[in-house]
Amino acid sequence: MSSKKNPEAGRRRFLRGGAGLGGALVGASLTTGARAEPLTVAPWSKTPGEPVLWHPYGQPSPYEKNVVRRSRGATPIPGANSSMTPLQNLHGIITPTGLVFERHHAGIPQIDPEQHRLAVHGLVARPTIFTMEDLVRLPSVSRIHFLECSGNTGREWKGPGTASLQFSHGLLSCCEWTGVPLSVVLEEVGIKPEGAWILAEGADSASMTRSIPLSKALDDALLVYAQNGERLRPEHGYPLRLFLPGFEGNMSVKWLRRLKVGREPFMTREETSKYTDSMPDGTARQFTFLMETKSVITFPAPDHRLKEKGFYEISGLAWTGRGRIKRVDVSTDGGRSWSVAQLQEPVLDRALTRFRFPWRWDGAPTVLQSRAVDETGYVQPKATQLVEARGVESNYHFNAIQSWRVASDGVITNVQV
Ligand SMILES: Nc1nc2c(c(=O)[nH]1)N[C@H]1C(S)=C(S)[C@@H](COP(=O)(O)O)O[C@H]1N2
Ligand SMILES: [Mo]
């Protein structure tokens, strides 16, 4: 039988050849935990199970109840909070909508889509107010893109932060977004020649506002009404949000109610006192739109514990606001040597890319790292390199190589090497 028809034969060949392992697995079994015992018939195999419509809207198995968003707890400002995606429990590249991180400056408004309006005004020929019905009738597109808060991994600037992947890297998601290209709407209203920036305003009580360069608005910005195939959830901007592929999450204004075209950036709170980068010379850098190339090992991570030595598949995510990921290198010896990881196809433009690397843990303490390279040749920096360039006073745009230390008891911690 060919390996196509018989996956078991293919697997044995893989073991013998030691694909990607340099023959390290010859004669060794991957399945250290498996036993040769008679198979029993469980209670759930003896009677019919739950009926259809057990949950009219599907739910995960009750055994997956620990796979949830988590938050650091209440903040002093009402409604200003965030929750993190449990990256340690996810597979592939798509974030299930119910696990997509949340970041709200003033809570989640409950908006009636029939009453929602999008006003487009300022330096335009035809100021217009759109209903949701108007917008959904326009030509639409669907795109798979990551969304990362620029505050993600912000606690790593001053040394190793939280010993948890969910809390260190969990302000990150990747969804299929459907909506109207912003360029279509801008063409409808007709931008005056002096127009160069667009103010985007949310309908939440924070009235969150950001200035968007017109070039981005005309390039690939989307007015999004659906996420992973269904209308947006309230926490992600229902009924309408802006989505700017590859740009910092903050600019993808949720509950979008107004776009105003102007000559210059509007210098809102979110681009002056917040979302600026403190530099080592005491100045602050403004308008750091692009999310830089980054990667992280999602298994194993501090949220896991290795029970025994033996075979494990290291797995992780890489992404870049610049386009596509070209390569991911993995080190299992604290950066002394690097090997190329396997990338899951398709590798999409400004989407999460899943990488995998086979590993046999010998039980000795070690440090695991991943390093992403994007299609422009940019290489994810070491923490020391990043800090040298940017100092330690920033809260945003930390994209350094993440190091996970594996101790001999299988406990994994967050370190910087
Ligand atoms: N109107 C409005 N838009 C907003 C926010 C907000 O609080 N209000 N938070 C921003 C921030 S900081 C981020 S990181 C993303 C988070 O999007 P999500 O909650 O859908 O993951 O939305 C952005 N858009
Ligand atoms: Mo954010």
Side-chain angles (χ1 to χ4, degrees):
M1 261 192 181
S2 81
S3 62
K4 252 195 208 128
K5 285 187 196 126
N6 181 350
E8 192 50 29
R11 182 175 156 276
R12 263 183 253 122
R13 196 167 308 141
F14 163 79
L15 292 180
R16 234 178 282 125
L21 282 158
L25 284 176
V26 178
S29 170
L30 292 184
T31 52
T32 30
R35 279 170 294 271
E37 281 169 8
L39 189 60
T40 57
V41 179
W44 51 78
S45 300
K46 292 177 183 166
T47 55
E50 307 293 348
V52 295
L53 299 180
W54 177 36
H55 295 299
Y57 195 104
Q59 302 277 307
S61 159
Y63 295 100
E64 299 295 317
K65 65 175 188 297
N66 289 327
V67 182
V68 287
R69 299 189 276 226
R70 291 188 173 84
S71 163
R72 291 184 203 278
T75 73
I77 309 157
N81 213 332
S82 56
S83 69
M84 282 88 165
T85 302
L87 298 172
Q88 70 278 9
N89 302 118
L90 299 185
H91 308 272
I93 61 165
I94 299 293
T95 315
T97 311
L99 298 176
V100 169
F101 81 93
E102 308 157 85
R103 173 71 178 111
H104 317 304
H105 288 73
I108 306 162
Q110 295 298 343
I111 298 178
D112 175 354
E114 298 227 333
Q115 289 179 44
H116 188 71
R117 299 288 181 272
L118 173 68
V120 188
H121 67 127
L123 296 174
V124 299
R126 297 170 291 280
T128 309
I129 290 179
F130 295 86
T131 64
M132 284 308 298
E133 224 174 297
D134 296 334
L135 291 170
V136 171
R137 279 175 61 177
L138 294 174
S140 60
V141 294
S142 298
R143 307 242 190 273
I144 296 172
H145 288 304
F146 76 81
L147 182 74
E148 185 184 20
C149 175
S150 49
N152 201 24
T153 50
R155 296 190 181 205
E156 303 296 312
W157 278 109
K158 293 185 168 72
T162 333
S164 156
L165 169 68
Q166 182 163 12
F167 284 94
S168 64
H169 287 73
L171 296 172
L172 174 70
S173 63
C174 184
C175 296
E176 185 200 55
W177 303 98
T178 298
V180 185
L182 178 51
S183 59
V184 169
V185 166
L186 294 178
E187 194 146 318
E188 284 295 302
V189 299
I191 302 212
K192 294 193 173 159
E194 321 87 83
W197 288 80
I198 301 184
L199 179 79
E201 180 186 73
D204 50 340
S205 69
S207 295
M208 223 211 68
T209 39
R210 284 294 304 254
S211 306
I212 316 297
L214 186 62
S215 53
K216 182 68 173 176
L218 293 174
D219 178 18
D220 57 4
L222 299 176
L223 296 174
V224 159
Y225 48 78
Q227 177 181 14
N228 291 338
E230 60 183 358
R231 289 299 177 103
L232 287 167
R233 298 274 171 92
E235 57 268 46
H236 304 301
Y238 184 87
L240 186 71
R241 85 178 297 170
L242 186 61
F243 191 91
L244 303 182
F247 277 22
E248 61 180 359
N250 184 257
M251 301 178 74
S252 286
V253 174
K254 300 190 280 189
W255 313 294
L256 185 70
R257 70 181 289 267
R258 191 163 71 96
L259 294 169
K260 181 180 183 181
V261 180
R263 285 186 179 80
E264 286 168 358
F266 292 79
M267 299 299 173
T268 72
R269 189 189 81 128
E270 258 62 48
E271 53 207 22
T272 51
S273 100
K274 304 290 170 193
Y275 299 96
T276 59
D277 303 315
S278 303
M279 302 301 273
D281 65 0
T283 62
R285 187 172 70 177
Q286 234 185 329
F287 302 125
T288 311
F289 298 142
L290 199 76
M291 294 311 293
E292 278 292 6
T293 306
K294 193 164 166 180
S295 70
V296 66
I297 292 173
T298 59
F299 180 87
D303 316 66
H304 309 114
R305 184 184 171 163
L306 300 182
K307 289 202 185 87
E308 57 189 2
K309 60 187 187 178
F311 177 81
Y312 293 95
E313 182 180 73
I314 292 174
S315 174
L317 295 167
W319 62 100
T320 173
R322 293 158 174 257
R324 284 182 177 78
I325 290 293
K326 189 172 84 191
R327 199 180 81 224
V328 177
D329 304 320
V330 168
S331 175
T332 59
D333 58 11
R336 274 193 298 280
S337 65
W338 294 90
S339 308
V340 177
Q342 193 189 7
L343 303 186
Q344 174 66 60
E345 301 280 346
V347 174
L348 300 173
D349 177 17
R350 291 164 299 175
L352 294 183
T353 297
R354 172 69 59 178
F355 65 86
R356 302 188 175 96
F357 185 77
W359 177 52
R360 180 167 287 278
W361 183 42
D362 61 8
T366 192
V367 171
L368 306 179
Q369 297 172 312
S370 64
R371 178 176 68 192
V373 182
D374 69 30
E375 62 184 347
T376 72
Y378 175 98
V379 181
Q380 187 183 4
K382 290 201 240 183
T384 47
Q385 291 172 317
L386 192 60
V387 164
E388 204 175 304
R390 304 262 307 278
V392 296
E393 296 307 322
S394 267
N395 290 314
Y396 306 106
H397 293 283
F398 184 94
N399 71 314
I401 291 171
Q402 176 64 50
S403 304
W404 300 132
R405 182 175 185 277
V406 184
S408 52
D409 59 1
V411 169
I412 299 162
T413 48
N414 179 357
V415 294
Q416 281 182 9
V417 297

